[in-house]
Amino acid sequence: RSSQADYHRTASDVHGGTTNMIDEMSARPIATGSSVVGMHFKNGVVMASDCRISYGSLSRYRDFTRFIKVNSDTVCVCNGDSADFQLLERTILEQVRSDEIENDGIQYSPIKLHNWLTCVLYNRRTRIDPLWNNFLVGGLQDGKPYLGMSTMLGQSWTAPYGATGFGKHMSIGKMRDFIEKHGVENITEEMAVKIITECMQQLYYRSTDAANEIEIYVVSGDGCKSEKTTLP
Amino acid sequence: FLMSKSRFNPYEGNGGTTAGVAGDDFVVMASDTRLCEESTYVVSSRNYPHLYDLGNSSVLAAAGFNGDVIQLIKLLYIHGRRYLYQFNKEMSITARASLLERVLYQHRGFPLYVGNLLGGMDEEGRGALFSYDPVGSYERISYIADGSAAAIVLPFLHNQVGLRNMADAGAAPRLTKERTVQILKDIFVSAAEWDIHCGDSLLIKMITKEGVAEETMALRTD
């Protein structure tokens, strides 16, 4: 079976593992996306990222979506290398298409995607040829909000809040405080979107690779909707 | 200048402190529930226990690098199921202990960066506790602590469980499950105070021939 997206074939496999340059090819991310943030609310999850891809200090792509909408219950978003992201995007969407063709009612859910991503990322890390992305997988799992983090080293956990990159330092505290003060069951979609927007605003102010064109995904009982806004 | 280039590091510390005490007819395993990123001082999750039920009332306490912990648990689960389907019974704790050593040593060239404590009831009904290093070296032991705050917890266990370093220890009463749980609760409170990577809450699993019971307690969240 030939697959368009051979995420399991590392650079060494493709080129026969001959030169030292191969070892260093994946040692750093090239075109990168900035932080992503996400949190639970009463009926689902809210996740946000900006739309910029940086090439070092150059703002290379200004309207790039780092979200993958898998189905109406499952969304994932990542930071880090955009080429690695696009490889996984192709792979995931190909699997979704295979599931549609199979047409047996089995669909992706957040926990399945999260576990699969963790396996892939861990496997690549173990070959010392990582996919340089940290993922946030969110959605509704059995009707309940689900947010899982999967890092480029294959670490994996679930929590009511999650962030990657700079967001780890700046946004987690804010989301955590809000959730611990109100309780997830008292947080409405509007409140969550407001907090997430404030997090993205702070990131835009303080992180050099963040931008003010942001994309917000809300996954709830009403399905999955996305919105692009520009922060002031 | 080129020599000092930072290479991709496949490991990262994710915190976690674990402890275990084996008695005459019980084993108590404890861990905090914090998952953190040691290099960036970020707390990833406040509700990530480091105790895993492996079947047949055995509990693995595993903390270190989270990616390898997840991989190890998957491997042990698969081996456990294979044994169950092949022999139509669950692995004994001594078999499981030996298996864990093999699994860890198989990764000797690229170690699973995990500190393991395996607890369960042995075939004579006594509490069994085994402690491992990341490449599989193990011994059966009556109490041990591992993880980021091990240096805080273990000396306390030496004194209160091992009755060491006391002027006149005298004849101490037989260690009960309840006293063990209290000892662990007390020392984890201190561990959360003095170790930045330890905190949030404490999960305690008490293993007896009846099965595994659980208890939790809040710890400092800073």
Side-chain angles (χ1 to χ4, degrees):
Chain A
R1 180 181 81 93
S2 81
S3 167
Q4 288 301 306
D6 286 304
Y7 55 88
H8 53 283
R9 297 188 73 216
T10 64
S12 301
D13 295 332
V14 173
H15 298 285
T18 43
T19 71
N20 285 333
M21 196 178 95
I22 300 289
D23 297 330
E24 290 177 40
M25 259 163 67
S26 291
R28 58 193 182 92
I30 306 294
T32 57
S34 165
S35 324
V36 304
V37 296
M39 67 183 264
H40 283 192
F41 66 96
K42 181 163 66 174
N43 300 324
V45 298
V46 181
M47 297 151 77
S49 85
D50 64 18
C51 302
R52 166 190 288 174
I53 295 293
S54 311
Y55 188 67
S57 59
L58 169 68
S59 173
R60 178 68 186 85
Y61 302 112
R62 295 171 60 194
D63 192 19
F64 188 101
T65 175
R66 289 183 275 129
F67 276 89
I68 305 170
K69 183 191 162 185
V70 180
N71 56 38
S72 61
D73 281 341
T74 315
V75 171
C76 69
V77 62
C78 69
N79 79 335
D81 192 89
S82 61
D84 290 340
F85 160 77
Q86 288 186 311
L87 175 64
L88 283 172
E89 182 186 37
R90 219 165 23 245
T91 309
I92 291 170
L93 294 180
E94 189 181 302
Q95 288 183 326
V96 170
R97 206 166 358 245
S98 294
D99 284 346
E100 283 170 13
I101 291 169
E102 206 77 37
N103 202 20
D104 56 2
I106 309 273
Q107 271 204 325
Y108 261 102
S109 72
I111 209 167
K112 287 183 199 176
L113 182 65
H114 186 205
N115 288 338
W116 177 83
L117 262 176
T118 303
C119 286
V120 171
L121 293 166
Y122 181 77
N123 181 253
R124 288 292 298 259
R125 159 261 179 204
T126 305
R127 295 169 187 237
I128 317 288
D129 186 6
L131 292 165
W132 208 287
N133 298 107
N134 300 303
F135 272 87
L136 206 55
V137 178
L140 283 175
Q141 180 67 40
D142 306 321
K144 295 217 279 281
Y146 183 97
L147 196 64
M149 290 272 336
S150 223
T151 69
M152 64 179 261
L153 293 178
Q155 300 148 317
S156 166
W157 64 89
T158 61
Y161 43 78
T164 65
F166 226 74
K168 275 189 311 208
H169 301 278
M170 298 199 65
S171 313
I172 285 190
K174 192 182 173 81
M175 295 188 287
R176 180 180 279 154
D177 237 17
F178 192 77
I179 286 175
E180 282 174 4
K181 188 163 26 177
H182 293 96
V184 170
E185 59 287 345
N186 298 318
I187 300 177
T188 64
E189 185 184 317
E190 288 72 32
M191 290 159 79
V193 169
K194 179 163 171 292
I195 290 291
I196 291 288
T197 310
E198 283 172 15
C199 288
M200 296 304 291
Q201 182 95 56
Q202 275 187 331
L203 286 168
Y204 171 54
Y205 286 153
R206 289 299 185 178
S207 171
T208 56
D209 61 353
N212 65 341
E213 297 97 11
I214 64 163
E215 195 169 9
I216 300 181
Y217 266 71
V218 178
V219 187
S220 68
D222 305 325
C224 169
K225 56 182 203 274
S226 72
E227 190 197 327
K228 271 196 184 170
T229 55
T230 305
L231 299 167
Chain B
F1 154 78
L2 270 171
M3 297 292 225
S4 63
K5 205 151 65 156
S6 63
R7 290 196 44 179
F8 166 63
N9 181 9
Y11 293 112
E12 187 168 40
N14 289 116
T17 300
T18 55
V21 179
D24 290 341
D25 56 357
F26 66 89
V27 184
V28 180
M29 308 284 290
S31 89
D32 70 341
T33 62
R34 171 170 288 183
L35 189 75
C36 57
E37 280 178 40
E38 286 180 6
S39 54
T40 53
Y41 304 101
V42 172
V43 177
S44 310
S45 171
R46 293 203 193 281
N47 187 19
Y48 197 98
H50 304 286
L51 298 179
Y52 303 89
D53 291 317
L54 295 181
N56 198 21
S57 296
S58 61
V59 172
L60 183 75
F65 166 52
N66 183 250
D68 284 343
V69 169
I70 291 172
Q71 178 69 359
L72 180 64
I73 300 302
K74 281 182 193 167
L75 288 170
L76 293 176
Y77 176 76
I78 287 167
H79 279 298
R81 301 308 273 181
R82 182 189 49 77
Y83 186 100
L84 175 65
Y85 297 145
Q86 187 171 352
F87 300 109
N88 202 27
K89 63 175 179 141
E90 293 267 13
M91 290 177 87
S92 67
I93 192 67
T94 40
R96 220 179 277 276
S98 179
L99 168 72
L100 179 51
E101 182 270 333
R102 293 279 77 216
V103 168
L104 292 170
Y105 199 78
Q106 273 162 10
H107 290 80
R108 179 66 178 81
F110 187 359
L112 294 169
Y113 188 73
V114 190
N116 290 295
L117 312 178
L118 179 64
M121 302 304 290
D122 74 8
E123 262 144 359
E124 286 148 26
R126 292 191 210 288
L129 180 65
F130 300 86
S131 129
Y132 296 76
D133 78 349
V135 288
S137 163
Y138 78 114
E139 72 172 326
R140 184 164 176 176
I141 202 154
S142 51
Y143 61 89
I144 190 72
D146 203 348
S148 64
I152 296 169
V153 178
L154 189 55
F156 187 74
L157 294 183
H158 277 314
N159 183 261
Q160 292 296 309
V161 178
L163 304 172
R164 299 208 211 164
N165 307 115
M166 287 202 276
D168 51 87
R174 203 175 128 264
L175 192 66
T176 63
K177 182 162 59 95
E178 291 68 29
R179 168 116 179 94
T180 305
V181 170
Q182 193 52 53
I183 287 171
L184 286 168
K185 282 180 175 175
D186 288 342
I187 192 51
F188 266 85
V189 169
S190 281
E193 297 268 336
W194 292 95
D195 181 38
I196 56 170
H197 300 305
C198 181
D200 294 330
S201 80
L202 174 65
L203 174 66
I204 296 179
K205 287 197 195 249
M206 298 154 280
I207 307 166
T208 57
K209 66 175 186 323
E210 275 89 51
V212 183
E214 255 182 41
E215 213 179 301
T216 60
M217 184 184 85
L219 293 173
R220 291 185 73 117
T221 56
D222 65 353

